[in-house]
Amino acid sequence: MKIASACLSIIGFLGILAAPAMSQTPAPAVDKQKQQESSPLYRVTVVARTTKAINYRHLSGPTEIDFRGTVLLPFSKGQARVESRKGAIRIQAQFDKLERATRFGPEFLTYVLWAVSPEGRADNLGEVLVEGSKSKLDVTAQLQAFALIVTAEPYFAVTQPSEVVVLENIVRPDTLGSVEEMDAKFDLLQRGQYTFVQGNSQLAAVDSRTPFGLLEARNAVQIAKAAGAEQYASDSFHKAFQLLQQAEGSLAHKGDKKQIEMSAREAVQTAEDARAITVKRREEERLTQERAAAAEREAKAKAQAAAAERATLQAQQTADRAAREKAEAETARAAALVQQQAAQAAAAQASRDRVAAEAARASAMAQQQVALAAADQASREKAQAEAARASAQADAEKARKAAEQAESEKTDLRAKLLAQLNTILQTRDSARGLIVNMSDVLFDTGSYTLKPGAREKLAKISGIVLAHPGLSLQIEGHTDSVGSDEYNRQLSDRRAGSVQEFLVQQGVAAGSVTAIGFGKMEPVASNETSEGRQLNRRVELVVNGADIGRTAGGSQTSRQ
C-alpha cells in the first residue's frame, strides 16, 4: 500500500508548578490569601511538535503503531493494534512509564486518549487509567483518518483536549495505512478550559485512600463551580453536587465501592454538562447585554429628536402669541384715531365758547398722548415678538441642517466604504448593511483553511474596519447542497470562524466580530448547475454600525 509522507502540527505543553517549596518559610495568612486571589496555581510553556495522521479506511487487516512521549514525559512510550471493522476502527493500546497526572498541576488527575482528525476535530476515546506506570485501553473510533494523542485532564468526561500533550502516535516501518499530507495549525484543536484556577477555588486534594473516581468527581464539580455553573446551570450543577455528596456519604459510611464509583462517574458527567451549559449561557448573556445597550442608544436618540420637536412647537406658539398681540395693538391704534377725530369735532363745535373749546382741546390732546403711548408700546412688543420668532426659526433651521449633515456624512461614509470594499472583494449595499462576498475559491476544497490570497484581501479589509472603530461585522458561511446538512453546517461554520479569527489577529476588536454558519439553507442561485453551486459556496461579511446609518442584526426574514 502506498504511503504519502505528511505532518499534523500539534502543541505540547510543559507544566511548571508555581507552588512554593516545602522548605521555604510560610508567609503570613493575609499575604497567603492575597497570593491565592491574584496568582495562578501554575504556568505552562509552549513546545511545538509534529505527528502523523494515518488513514485506515482501506486497511485489510490489523496493523501496529507506536506511541512516543513528548517533552513532558520523554521516557513514556506505548503501542497499539489498530483494526478496521465495519462502521468503526478498533484500537487496543497499552502504555508504559506513565507518571501521575498531578505532576502537571493539581487540576490534572487522569489521562485521556484522543483521536484527532486532519481537520482538527478531537474525539474522546476513553480514560487511560494508570496502574503503577502502565495502562491498557481497548476502544473504538468513528473516524477513518486520525492521529492519536494522550493528554492530562482533570477528569475523564472532558469534551476538549487540554494543552498538556504527553504521548503521540508515530508510524512504524511496518505500519499499514496511508499517511495523509497535511498543513494544519494547532489552533484547530480548541484549548482546554481547566488550566487556570484563581482565588478561593481550591481543587480536590489527592488522597490515596480516596477512590480515584471520587477524586475526579470533586475536581469536576469544583471546576464547574469556578466557571459559574451555580448561577447559569443550577439544576445540572446541584444534581452533580448531590451525586458527589451521595458518593462522599457512601465513602464515609464505608458503602459499596462499586456504588461509590457509579455515583462519582455520574457526578463527573453531570458536572461537565453543567460547565458546558454555563459557557453557552454566559455567551448568550453577553449578547443580550449588547442588544440592550443598542436599544438604550436608540431610545436616547428618539428622546433627543422628541425634544427638538417640542422646541420647534414652543417657538411656533411664541410666534402665534406675538401675532395676536400685534393685532390687539393695531385695534388700539385705530380706536385712538377715532377718539382723536371726536375730539377735533368737539373743538369745532365748542368754538362759540372759547373757554369750553380750550378745555375740550386740552382733554383731546391728553387722550391723544395716551393713545400714542399705547401704540408705541404695541410697536415695541411687536418687534420683540418678531425677534423671538426669528430666533426660534434660526434654531430650528440649525437643528435641521445638523441632522441633514449627520445623515449626509453617514451616507457619504457608507458610499466610501462600499467603493473601498469593492476594490478588494465584490460588495453590495443592502438593508442589512454592506455585504462583502468571499467566493469558494478563496478556501481549499472541502476545507476552511484560508488561502494566501484570501488572507491578503482580509488584511486589507481589516485595515478599512480598523479605520472606523464604530463598525461591526457578522461573518456568515454558506455552502451548496452537496453533502449532508450537518457536514455543510460545520464546514460553513468553520469557514466563518476562520475568517473571524484572522480578522481578530489583524487587530479588529473581538467584541465587534461574530461568526455563524448557515450551511446550504440560504442559496443565492440554483444548486442544479455547477455555476449555481459555486455561487452558493461563499462567506459573506456583513459590515454595519451606527456610523453608516444602520445597526446590525436584521431578522432572518429581512435577509437580502
Side-chain angles (χ1 to χ4, degrees):
M1 181 177 297
K2 184 179 180 180
I3 299 180
S5 177
C7 291
L8 164 66
S9 295
I10 68 169
I11 300 295
F13 281 78
L14 175 61
I16 303 176
L17 295 178
M22 295 294 293
S23 61
Q24 292 177 337
T25 302
V30 176
D31 294 339
K32 183 175 182 181
Q33 181 178 2
K34 289 182 179 180
Q35 182 179 6
Q36 290 178 345
E37 293 176 352
S38 62
S39 300
L41 296 181
Y42 73 101
R43 298 190 299 271
V44 292
T45 302
V46 179
V47 179
R49 300 193 61 83
T50 60
T51 191
K52 303 279 187 178
I54 305 175
N55 191 337
Y56 301 98
R57 181 185 305 275
H58 303 296
L59 191 64
S60 60
T63 188
E64 304 289 335
I65 62 170
D66 287 340
F67 285 88
R68 177 178 58 198
T70 67
V71 293
L72 302 181
L73 287 180
F75 300 108
S76 61
K77 60 182 179 179
Q79 52 273 339
R81 176 185 174 91
V82 182
E83 184 177 1
S84 178
R85 295 191 173 184
K86 186 176 181 179
I89 301 293
R90 182 181 181 184
I91 304 166
Q92 296 172 289
Q94 56 184 358
F95 306 100
D96 192 12
K97 296 186 178 180
L98 289 173
E99 300 182 24
R100 279 177 168 267
T102 52
R103 65 166 293 177
F104 304 113
E107 68 275 22
F108 295 111
L109 293 178
T110 188
Y111 296 102
V112 171
L113 177 64
W114 301 87
V116 184
S117 72
E119 294 78 19
R121 169 187 165 189
D123 287 351
N124 184 331
L125 299 184
E127 184 177 17
V128 179
L129 295 174
V130 180
E131 295 182 3
S133 64
K134 300 180 181 294
S135 178
K136 290 185 178 181
L137 193 64
D138 191 344
V139 294
T140 58
Q142 301 302 316
L143 300 172
Q144 294 293 325
F146 54 85
L148 292 173
I149 62 173
V150 177
T151 63
E153 301 293 347
Y155 46 85
F156 69 89
V158 291
T159 55
Q160 293 174 314
S162 78
E163 299 162 329
V164 185
V165 181
V166 299
L167 282 163
E168 58 187 4
N169 66 204
I170 58 175
V171 180
R172 294 167 39 156
D174 59 347
T175 298
L176 303 179
S178 61
V179 182
E180 292 197 343
E181 185 74 25
M182 303 203 45
D183 183 14
K185 298 190 308 181
F186 177 73
D187 56 12
L188 299 178
L189 292 174
Q190 299 183 12
R191 291 189 173 187
Q193 302 178 25
Y194 321 107
T195 59
F196 191 82
V197 180
Q198 285 184 318
N200 296 323
S201 298
Q202 297 297 324
L203 293 171
V206 177
D207 183 0
S208 60
R209 294 172 297 179
T210 303
F212 187 71
L214 186 54
L215 291 175
E216 289 188 282
R218 292 172 181 173
N219 221 8
V221 171
Q222 188 61 45
I223 288 173
K225 181 178 180 180
E230 281 185 299
Q231 177 182 355
Y232 292 94
S234 58
D235 292 343
S236 297
F237 177 79
H238 289 146
K239 181 180 177 181
F241 184 77
Q242 290 172 359
L243 289 168
L244 175 60
Q245 293 299 104
Q246 180 179 337
E248 296 279 13
S250 298
L251 177 64
H253 294 86
K254 299 182 179 179
D256 182 59
K257 292 183 178 180
K258 184 176 181 181
Q259 184 61 40
I260 293 174
E261 185 69 19
M262 290 176 60
S263 298
R265 291 183 73 86
E266 186 177 356
V268 169
Q269 187 63 62
T270 306
E272 171 64 11
D273 293 341
R275 188 197 65 80
I277 292 171
T278 297
V279 172
K280 180 180 178 182
R281 289 182 177 173
R282 292 184 77 165
E283 177 63 16
E284 292 173 350
E285 182 181 78
R286 183 186 67 79
L287 295 175
T288 300
Q289 291 174 350
E290 289 181 356
R291 288 192 291 269
E296 182 180 354
R297 291 193 297 270
E298 182 178 359
K300 183 177 180 180
K302 289 182 178 179
Q304 291 175 345
E309 185 176 354
R310 287 194 300 272
T312 302
L313 179 61
Q314 290 176 356
Q316 184 62 41
Q317 290 174 347
T318 301
D320 293 342
R321 183 168 58 252
R324 288 194 301 272
E325 291 174 352
K326 177 183 177 181
E328 291 173 357
E330 291 292 341
T331 302
R333 183 175 181 181
L337 289 174
V338 171
Q339 291 176 357
Q340 181 182 8
Q341 292 172 357
Q344 290 175 349
Q349 293 176 359
S351 59
R352 294 185 298 268
D353 191 344
R354 186 177 181 84
V355 176
E358 289 293 333
R361 181 180 179 185
S363 177
M365 288 297 294
Q367 292 178 355
Q368 182 181 10
Q369 290 176 354
V370 171
L372 290 174
D376 291 339
Q377 180 64 29
S379 178
R380 288 192 298 271
E381 291 176 352
K382 174 184 176 182
Q384 292 175 355
E386 288 291 340
R389 182 173 65 180
S391 177
Q393 289 177 346
D395 291 342
E397 182 64 15
K398 183 178 180 181
R400 182 186 65 80
K401 289 182 177 180
E404 289 179 352
Q405 182 178 358
E407 191 62 28
S408 175
E409 290 175 353
K410 292 178 180 180
T411 302
D412 292 345
L413 178 57
R414 191 181 188 93
K416 179 181 178 182
L417 286 175
L418 178 61
Q420 290 177 337
L421 293 173
N422 258 317
T423 62
I424 304 170
L425 288 170
Q426 180 182 357
T427 306
R428 68 180 187 275
D429 198 347
S430 72
R432 297 171 55 221
L434 302 179
I435 301 179
V436 182
N437 182 57
M438 292 184 62
S439 67
D440 176 68
V441 297
L442 296 178
F443 294 88
D444 291 331
T445 302
S447 172
Y448 51 90
T449 301
L450 291 170
K451 289 185 175 181
R455 292 174 177 270
E456 180 181 353
K457 294 179 182 295
L458 286 176
K460 294 179 179 179
I461 290 176
S462 66
I464 295 174
V465 173
L466 288 173
H468 304 282
L471 297 179
S472 62
L473 292 90
Q474 177 166 309
I475 304 166
E476 302 173 350
H478 303 272
T479 67
D480 56 22
S481 61
V482 177
S484 66
D485 291 349
E486 181 61 16
Y487 172 81
N488 285 322
R489 186 195 65 76
Q490 288 186 2
L491 180 58
S492 64
D493 194 49
R494 288 171 175 171
R495 284 185 171 181
S498 294
V499 174
Q500 178 191 30
E501 181 179 357
F502 183 82
L503 290 175
V504 172
Q505 290 175 353
Q506 295 298 309
V508 179
S512 66
V513 185
T514 59
I516 186 173
F518 293 98
K520 64 182 182 181
M521 302 305 296
E522 295 186 8
V524 295
S526 172
N527 280 306
E528 298 300 323
T529 65
S530 60
E531 292 81 5
R533 289 192 295 272
Q534 184 174 4
L535 290 174
N536 290 332
R537 297 192 299 267
R538 69 197 188 279
V539 172
E540 293 182 342
L541 283 70
V542 182
V543 183
N544 222 313
D547 292 344
I548 59 174
R550 294 183 178 89
T551 56
S555 66
Q556 293 294 332
T557 58
S558 66
R559 304 175 67 85
Q560 296 182 358

